[in-house]
């Protein structure tokens, strides 16, 4: 008996486990329980009020509705259904789902195919940035971003557990992502971990329009707005203002014209204001400091600079270097060039020359790119043999066959021609490794009446729903509201009746505005908890007529403080606090009641509601007089004006040297004489001398003439004279050069001619040596290399010949000073 009992119990437990396994499989199947749309409407109610970006909000709502409803979500790579128990990856741009294993294979195939593209020679190899993209939106990702873990939507939890009361693939925690990133929004998403983008930020912030003229409170996600007035910002031409309506971005170019000068200032023409900088066709032709060459640049601004042909120059090989003065030109030397070639390490064997060096002709042993042959060739010549490559192309099927291949064989150019997953067509891509991409062709899916169709990728007909038909449905409703329920062709039962009931309530006399509740399908679920799994009964439905719901007609009801009137449903209308402050003026006549909305008198219907305001307990906040920064003498808030302030203030005088003490109440009536310290002004005039006025407020240079003695020099700086400062500023006093200045200039000119004569002799001596060297080379004698000698010019003059100009200048100055003291 015991053995039979054990066998029956074991069989019973086996059936129970089988039934539980079937129930668990049903949780992740395609048949999910329907959800109520009103739940999502309540979640997004605060986001939809007050404006904002509704496009992004609707996208989040649709993706969340799709995740909760349990409808089929198809992986675009394997064209299979994504279930609750599968590991997924979602794109950051289009928020589409893919199997984690499918996206890993997709990314690795994309990276491997792009790596085979580098097939050029080693000398021209350029590394490429290897990326892979989303199969739907083509968003680019790097090789390091290939997913390796199954994460929830907010990326906080790895391998989120399966929970029957949470959204699939969600961790159940608060999302916490930044709602916006472009308009300095610092608010975070407060929804639970969800699919799709976060909704736009619903917070109200103070923002300005595009032209910064108007300010108001808007949605944080709405950004800037246009106030409708003219922009009037100064355009780049600095002469006109923008006449467009308040707009985003930079102002458009100026549409007016004006007279504009070119960069060199030689021509002026009428041109558009949006093109301020222009050049004429004239050459500058201004002489350089050397006096021999002229500037050859076309119309330009600024100085021409120094002459490019003068200065410290070197020969092309860089062996000789000397200072060249125009019109002299630096020529080539007799040495070897010796420069290294750009493509090799050999030196140029030619003589010193101008321009680039000729190609390198040094014979070296060179190996071809495939390393099969070796030959002696000039250094600058490239070596390629005629041997064909025997390697295999990246497809792994066809040979390379390219001459002198360096090992990076090019991709295959033949067609794949493999049958695709749809079973109808073949792959038309270039020969490749791994599986082929999905079929690019399309198929048709029709509606119930066969008159409306959609096109889907080939092979996805079984997983796609039929399209919506635009023809009207001809089935009549039992309640008789067929004229009010026009809907399109569909599969299955007709939607519930959407007509209004319009029955009159007996208590209030309003009409019922609920949706028709005649012949409504009511679902009855099992109330008693089943003892065993096989006692679970499926829900039963019955068509019956329901009673009208409570009256929802809006009735105007005022709050306790009568601040606002709200419309409340008729069946639950009653006075309530509005949540604002009372706002009634207190006895101090300066502040209002800060308590929450309450009654203004006793009401027996609302005995627990207060009906009196509290007395004011704040400090005096009346605006202080001009220039007064102290608090009121009466600490508590009071009616009427405040008493005058008797506090002593320390204020500086006009010149800022002395500090004065004045009562605070007299600051606004102080005169200039009261703020004067009576001392001399410490400021300096434009000429550099101190102001002689007593402490004052106006500018020092007004009604004042500086008579202080200053020195005036002649044009050459040899003579000087003292005169009043005002006469020097107005250029009334001048010092004219005399004979001593002429003698000094003549002596300097004589010294300059002597120096030029010496340089000319040195130039003749150098030319004579070069001529002798040239004749010696033409005579055919054996060339002897000698060391280059550097000629050092020694100055063999005595001290009197060197400094006679300075001695004469000192003697002349002493004589002039004695003459000025004795006779002037």
């Amino acid at each position: 008996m015991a053995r039979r009992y054990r066998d029956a119990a074991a069989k019973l437990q086996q059936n129970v486990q089988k039934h539980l396994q079937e129930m668990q499989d049903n949780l992740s199947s395609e048949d999910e329980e329907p959800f109520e749309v009103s739940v999502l409407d309540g979640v997004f109610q605060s986001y939809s009020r007050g404006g904002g970006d509704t496009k992004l909000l609707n996208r989040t709502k649709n993706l969340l509705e799709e995740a909760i409803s349990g409808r089929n979500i198809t992986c675009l790579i394997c064209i299979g259904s994504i279930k609750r128990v599968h590991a997924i990856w979602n794109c950051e741009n289009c928020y589409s789902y893919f199997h984690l294993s499918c996206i890993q294979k997709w990314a690795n195939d994309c990276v491997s195919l792009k790596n085979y593209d580098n097939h050029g020679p080693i000398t021209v190899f350029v590394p490429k940035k290897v990326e892979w993209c989303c199969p739907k939106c083509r968003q680019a990702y790097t090789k390091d971003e290939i997913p390796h873990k199954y994460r929830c939507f907010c990326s906080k939890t790895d391998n989120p557990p399966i929970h029957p009361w949470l959204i699939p693939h969600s961790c159940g925690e608060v999302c916490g992502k930044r709602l916006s990133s472009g308009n300095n929004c610092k608010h975070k998403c407060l929804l639970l971990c969800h699919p799709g983008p976060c909704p736009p930020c619903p917070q109200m912030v103070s923002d300005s329009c595009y032209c910064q003229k108007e300010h108001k409170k808007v949605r944080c996600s709405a950004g800037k707005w246009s106030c409708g007035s003219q922009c009037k910002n100064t355009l780049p031409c600095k002469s006109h203002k923008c006449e467009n309506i308040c707009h985003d971005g930079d102002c458009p170019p100026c549409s007016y014209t004006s007279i504009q000068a070119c960069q060199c200032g030689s021509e002026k023409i009428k041109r558009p204001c949006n093109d301020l900088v222009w050049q004429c066709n004239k050459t500058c032709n201004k002489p350089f400091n050397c006096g021999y060459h002229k500037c050859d640049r076309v119309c330009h601004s600024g100085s021409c600079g120094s002459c490019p042909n003068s200065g410290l120059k070197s020969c092309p090989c860089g062996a000789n270097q000397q200072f060249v003065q125009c019109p002299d030109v630096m020529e080539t030397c007799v040495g070897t060039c010796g420069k290294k070639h750009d493509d090799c390490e050999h030196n140029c064997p030619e003589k010193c020359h101008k321009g680039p060096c000729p190609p390198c002709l040094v014979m070296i042993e060179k190996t071809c790119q495939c390393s099969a042959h070796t030959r002696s060739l000039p250094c600058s010549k490239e070596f390629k043999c005629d041997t064909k490559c025997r390697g295999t192309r990246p497809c792994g099927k066809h040979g390379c066959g390219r001459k002198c291949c360096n090992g990076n064989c090019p991709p295959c150019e033949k067609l794949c021609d493999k049958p695709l997953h749809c079973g109808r067509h073949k792959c038309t891509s270039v020969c490749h490794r791994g599986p082929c991409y999905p079929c690019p062709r399309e198929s048709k899916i029709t509606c119930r009446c066969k008159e409306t169709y959609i096109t889907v990728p080939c092979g996805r007909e079984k997983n796609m729903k039929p399209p919506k038909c635009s023809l009207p449905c001809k089935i009549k409703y039992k309640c008789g509201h067929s004229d009010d329920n026009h809907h399109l062709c569909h599969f299955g039962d007709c939607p519930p009746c959407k007509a209004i009931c319009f029955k009159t309530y007996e208590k209030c006399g309003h009409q019922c505005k609920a949706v028709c509740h005649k012949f409504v399908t009511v679902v009855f679920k099992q109330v008693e908890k089943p003892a065993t799994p096989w006692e679970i009964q499926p829900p039963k439905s019955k068509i019956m007529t329901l009673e009208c719901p409570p009256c929802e007609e809006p009735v105007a009801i005022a709050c306790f403080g009568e601040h606002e009137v709200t419309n409340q449903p008729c069946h639950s209308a009653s006075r309530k606090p509005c949540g604002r402050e009372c706002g009634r003026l207190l006895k101090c006549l300066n502040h209002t009641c800060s308590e929450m909305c309450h009654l203004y008198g006793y009401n027996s219907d609302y005995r627990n509601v207060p009906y009196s305001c509290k007395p004011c307990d704040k400090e005096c906040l009346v605006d202080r007089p001009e220039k007064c920064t102290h608090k009121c003498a009466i600490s508590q808030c009071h009616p009427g004006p405040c008493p005058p302030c008797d506090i002593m203030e320390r204020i500086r005088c006009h010149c800022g040297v002395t500090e004065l003490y004045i009562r605070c109440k007299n600051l606004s009536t102080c005169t200039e004489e009261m703020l004067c310290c009576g001392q001399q002004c410490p400021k300096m005039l434009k000429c550099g001398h101190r102001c002689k006025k007593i402490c004052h407020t106006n500018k020092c240079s007004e009604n004042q003439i500086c008579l202080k003695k200053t020195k005036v020099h002649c044009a050459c700086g040899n003579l000087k004279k003292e005169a009043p400062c005002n006469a020097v500023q107005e250029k009334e006093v001048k010092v004219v050069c005399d004979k001593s200045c002429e003698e000094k200039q003549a002596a300097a000119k004589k010294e300059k001619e002597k120096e030029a004569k010496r340089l000319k002799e040195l130039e003749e001596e150098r030319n004579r040596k070069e001529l002798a060297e040239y004749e010696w080379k033409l005579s055919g004698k054996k060339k002897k290399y000698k060391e280059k000698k550097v000629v050092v010019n020694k100055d063999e003059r005595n001290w009197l010949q060197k400094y006679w100009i300075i001695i004469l200048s000192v003697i002349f100055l002493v004589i002039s000073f004695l003459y000025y003291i004795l006779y002037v």
Side-chain angles (χ1 to χ4, degrees):
M1 187 69 181
R3 183 176 181 182
R4 292 181 181 179
Y5 177 79
R6 287 196 301 269
D7 294 342
K11 190 174 182 180
L12 180 62
Q13 290 294 331
Q14 185 178 1
N15 292 334
V16 170
Q17 294 295 332
K18 184 178 179 181
H19 184 73
L20 292 176
Q21 184 67 28
E22 291 177 358
M23 288 184 63
Q24 185 176 2
D25 293 341
N26 291 333
L27 288 177
S28 59
S29 64
E30 300 177 357
D31 298 331
E32 296 286 348
E33 294 183 358
F35 73 100
E36 297 182 2
V37 182
S38 59
V39 176
L40 285 181
D41 294 338
V43 172
F44 292 102
Q45 184 177 6
S46 59
Y47 292 95
S48 59
R49 293 177 180 175
D53 188 4
T54 58
K55 183 177 180 181
L56 191 62
L57 180 63
N58 292 333
R59 187 178 182 185
T60 306
K61 187 176 179 181
N62 293 335
L63 289 174
L64 195 59
E65 178 183 348
E66 184 178 1
I68 298 175
S69 63
R71 292 195 293 265
N72 289 339
I73 300 175
T74 305
C75 177
L76 298 180
I77 300 176
C78 65
I79 318 180
S81 298
I82 300 177
K83 296 184 179 181
R84 184 187 292 265
V85 297
H86 291 167
I88 66 164
W89 174 85
N90 59 331
C91 179
E92 298 177 357
N93 185 36
C94 62
Y95 305 99
S96 298
Y97 302 169
F98 303 96
H99 288 119
L100 182 62
S101 58
C102 295
I103 198 66
Q104 289 176 347
K105 187 175 181 182
W106 172 278
N108 291 326
D109 291 346
C110 293
V111 171
S112 62
L113 288 175
K114 288 188 177 181
N115 284 330
Y116 292 135
D117 294 342
N118 298 328
H119 56 81
I122 298 177
T123 55
V124 295
F125 175 76
V126 179
K128 295 178 64 177
K129 185 179 180 182
V130 180
E131 293 180 346
W132 59 279
C133 59
C134 172
K136 184 176 181 180
C137 65
R138 300 299 175 183
Q139 171 71 16
Y141 294 93
T142 61
K143 186 178 179 180
D144 298 333
E145 293 178 348
I146 297 176
H148 299 286
K149 294 181 179 180
Y150 167 41
R151 292 185 175 182
C152 61
F153 296 114
C154 62
S155 301
K156 293 181 181 178
T157 306
D158 295 342
N159 299 319
I162 301 172
H163 198 283
W165 299 107
L166 293 179
I167 297 175
H169 319 293
S170 170
C171 62
E173 301 292 336
V174 177
C175 178
K177 294 182 181 178
R178 288 279 300 274
L179 292 176
S180 301
S181 59
N183 53 357
N184 299 325
C185 175
K186 297 182 180 179
H187 306 112
K188 295 183 178 180
C189 180
L190 300 179
L191 296 178
L192 297 182
C193 181
H194 60 89
C198 296
C201 184
Q203 299 290 339
M204 300 297 291
V205 295
S206 180
D207 202 353
S208 60
C209 62
Y210 294 121
C211 62
Q212 305 292 331
K213 292 180 181 178
E214 292 188 8
H215 298 266
K216 68 177 182 179
K217 285 192 173 182
V218 295
R219 286 277 188 179
C220 183
S221 59
K224 294 186 178 296
W225 47 278
S226 176
C227 62
S229 59
Q230 285 189 349
C231 179
K232 292 187 178 180
N233 288 334
T234 305
L235 296 175
C237 64
K238 298 181 181 180
S239 300
H240 306 97
K241 294 185 177 180
C242 179
E243 298 178 355
N244 290 357
I245 303 299
C246 177
H247 58 86
D248 187 13
D250 298 333
C251 296
C254 183
S255 59
Y256 294 95
T257 57
S258 59
I259 302 297
Q260 301 174 14
C262 63
Q263 290 189 357
C264 65
S266 59
E267 291 186 7
K268 290 185 178 181
I269 60 174
K270 193 173 184 180
R271 290 175 50 82
C273 285
N274 57 2
D275 190 8
L276 300 176
V277 181
W278 66 283
Q279 292 178 328
C280 62
N281 297 326
K282 294 183 180 180
T283 309
C284 181
N285 281 332
K286 292 181 181 179
F288 291 110
N289 297 332
C290 64
Y292 294 97
H293 301 95
K294 294 183 179 180
C295 179
D296 56 352
R297 288 194 296 169
V298 182
C299 178
H300 65 89
S301 59
S303 61
C304 298
S306 59
C307 180
N309 299 318
S310 299
L312 191 63
K313 301 289 182 180
S314 61
C315 63
C317 67
N320 297 328
Q321 190 175 11
Q322 63 181 8
F323 185 84
V324 179
Q325 185 70 26
C326 293
D328 296 340
V329 180
M330 188 68 187
E331 300 293 341
T332 58
C333 66
V334 296
T336 306
C337 177
K339 294 181 181 178
K340 285 189 177 182
H341 291 280
D342 297 336
D343 301 332
C344 63
E345 298 180 354
H346 303 113
N347 298 330
C348 179
E350 300 292 333
K351 290 185 177 181
C352 179
H353 59 86
K354 296 181 180 179
C357 297
C360 182
L361 300 177
V362 178
M363 301 296 290
I364 60 173
E365 291 290 331
K366 281 200 170 188
T367 305
C368 62
Q369 292 184 2
C370 63
S371 303
H373 302 278
T374 304
R375 187 180 298 176
S376 179
L377 293 173
C379 181
S380 60
K381 190 174 181 181
E382 188 179 2
F383 178 35
K384 287 186 178 181
C385 66
D386 295 334
T387 304
K388 292 185 178 180
C389 178
R390 297 182 180 179
T392 306
R393 300 205 177 197
C395 64
K397 299 178 182 179
H398 306 98
C400 177
R402 188 173 60 169
K403 291 184 178 181
C404 196
C405 181
N406 59 356
N408 294 329
C409 300
C412 187
E413 299 176 355
K414 297 182 179 181
L415 295 179
C416 177
D417 206 27
K418 289 181 181 179
L420 300 176
H421 291 289
C422 64
R424 303 175 185 174
H425 310 100
K426 293 184 178 181
C427 180
T428 58
S429 303
V430 179
C431 188
H432 57 85
R433 290 180 180 268
C436 301
Y437 289 104
C439 183
R441 301 192 181 185
E442 296 180 346
S443 300
K444 289 184 179 181
I445 298 178
T446 59
C447 67
R448 187 176 184 181
C449 62
K450 306 294 182 179
E451 295 186 5
T452 305
Y453 65 92
I454 58 173
T455 57
V456 296
C458 184
R460 294 182 57 187
E461 297 86 350
K462 297 180 180 179
N463 300 326
M464 294 299 295
K465 293 183 178 180
K468 294 182 180 180
C469 183
S470 59
L471 298 177
C473 180
K474 298 180 181 180
I475 302 175
K476 294 184 179 181
Y477 283 82
K478 295 181 180 180
C479 60
H481 295 132
S482 300
D483 297 337
D484 299 331
N485 292 277
H486 296 290
H487 56 277
L488 304 180
C489 175
H490 59 89
F491 288 90
D493 298 334
C494 292
C497 180
K498 297 180 180 180
I500 307 300
C501 180
F502 286 123
K503 286 185 179 180
T504 304
Y505 290 97
E506 296 180 358
K507 295 182 179 180
C508 59
H510 298 132
Q511 290 183 347
C512 177
K513 295 184 179 180
V515 181
C516 177
H517 38 79
K518 272 188 177 183
F519 302 101
V520 180
T521 302
V522 181
V523 179
F524 296 91
K525 295 184 179 180
Q526 186 178 2
V527 179
E528 298 178 357
K529 187 176 181 180
T532 55
W534 48 85
E535 292 182 2
I536 297 177
Q537 297 180 3
K540 300 179 180 180
S541 60
K542 183 179 180 182
I543 298 175
M544 56 186 301
T545 302
L546 304 177
E547 295 182 358
C548 294
C551 181
E552 297 289 341
E553 183 72 21
V555 179
I557 301 295
C559 63
F560 289 146
E562 298 181 357
H563 300 109
E564 63 180 16
V565 177
T566 58
N567 294 327
Q568 299 182 11
C570 179
H571 70 279
S572 62
S574 62
R575 296 186 69 180
K576 297 178 182 178
C578 62
R580 301 179 183 176
E581 294 183 357
C582 175
R584 295 186 67 185
L585 193 63
L586 299 178
K587 294 181 180 180
C588 65
L589 304 179
N590 294 324
H591 301 97
T592 57
C593 179
S594 60
E595 292 186 355
M596 300 301 291
C597 178
H598 60 83
L599 293 173
Y600 294 158
Y602 177 75
N603 193 339
S604 59
D605 295 337
Y606 305 96
R607 296 180 180 180
N608 297 327
V609 180
Y611 55 89
S612 61
C613 301
K614 290 184 179 180
C616 181
D617 57 351
K618 297 183 179 179
E619 295 182 357
C620 180
L621 299 177
V622 179
D623 295 338
R624 303 299 297 158
E626 185 179 1
K627 298 184 180 179
C628 180
T629 59
H630 310 104
K631 293 184 179 180
C632 178
I634 305 174
S635 61
Q636 192 174 1
C637 183
H638 61 87
C642 299
C645 184
D646 293 332
I647 299 176
M648 300 295 291
E649 284 288 339
R650 186 170 61 182
I651 300 176
R652 289 191 176 273
C653 63
H654 298 307
C655 60
V657 176
T658 308
E659 293 182 348
L660 305 176
Y661 290 89
I662 301 174
R663 292 193 180 275
C664 182
K665 63 183 178 181
N666 298 329
L667 286 178
S668 59
T669 59
C670 285
T671 60
E672 295 184 0
E673 296 178 356
M674 295 175 65
L675 297 178
C676 179
C677 63
Q679 300 181 11
Q680 185 182 356
C681 180
K683 299 179 182 178
M684 306 299 290
L685 298 175
K686 293 182 179 179
C687 60
H689 302 124
R690 185 177 176 182
C691 178
K692 294 183 178 181
K693 290 183 179 181
I694 304 302
C695 179
H696 59 91
T697 57
N698 299 330
K699 294 183 178 179
C700 297
S701 59
E702 292 182 1
N703 300 325
Q704 185 176 1
I705 300 174
C706 183
L707 300 176
K708 196 167 184 178
K709 295 290 185 178
T710 55
K711 293 181 181 180
V712 183
H713 294 270
C714 64
C716 64
N718 188 24
L719 302 178
K720 65 180 178 180
K721 182 180 178 181
E722 290 187 353
C725 181
N726 61 337
V728 174
Q729 295 294 331
E730 295 176 1
K731 299 182 180 180
E732 296 178 356
V733 179
K734 295 183 180 180
V735 179
V736 184
C737 296
D738 56 0
K739 291 184 179 181
S740 61
C741 298
E742 295 178 359
E743 292 176 358
K744 185 177 179 180
Q745 292 177 359
K749 185 177 180 182
K750 186 176 180 181
E751 181 67 20
K752 187 175 181 181
E753 291 177 354
K754 187 175 180 181
E755 182 66 20
K757 184 178 179 181
R758 187 180 66 83
L759 293 175
K760 187 176 180 181
E761 291 176 357
L762 292 175
E763 182 68 21
E764 291 177 355
E765 179 66 19
R766 185 166 56 253
N767 293 338
R768 185 185 62 77
K769 289 182 180 181
E770 289 180 358
L771 181 61
E773 185 179 359
Y774 179 73
E775 291 177 354
W776 181 77
K777 289 180 180 180
L778 293 177
S779 62
K781 295 182 180 180
K782 188 175 181 182
K783 185 175 180 181
K784 297 181 180 180
Y785 294 95
K786 297 182 180 180
E787 296 182 356
K788 297 180 182 179
K789 295 182 179 180
V790 179
V791 179
V792 181
N793 296 328
K794 295 182 179 180
D795 193 359
E796 298 179 352
R797 296 178 296 173
N798 55 17
W799 67 274
L800 186 61
Q801 291 176 347
K802 291 181 180 179
Y803 307 109
W804 66 275
I805 296 176
I806 301 175
I807 296 171
L808 287 177
S809 300
V810 173
I811 295 172
F812 178 76
L813 291 174
V814 172
I815 294 171
S816 301
F817 182 71
L818 294 174
Y819 177 79
Y820 179 77
I821 294 174
L822 297 175
Y823 298 100
V824 179

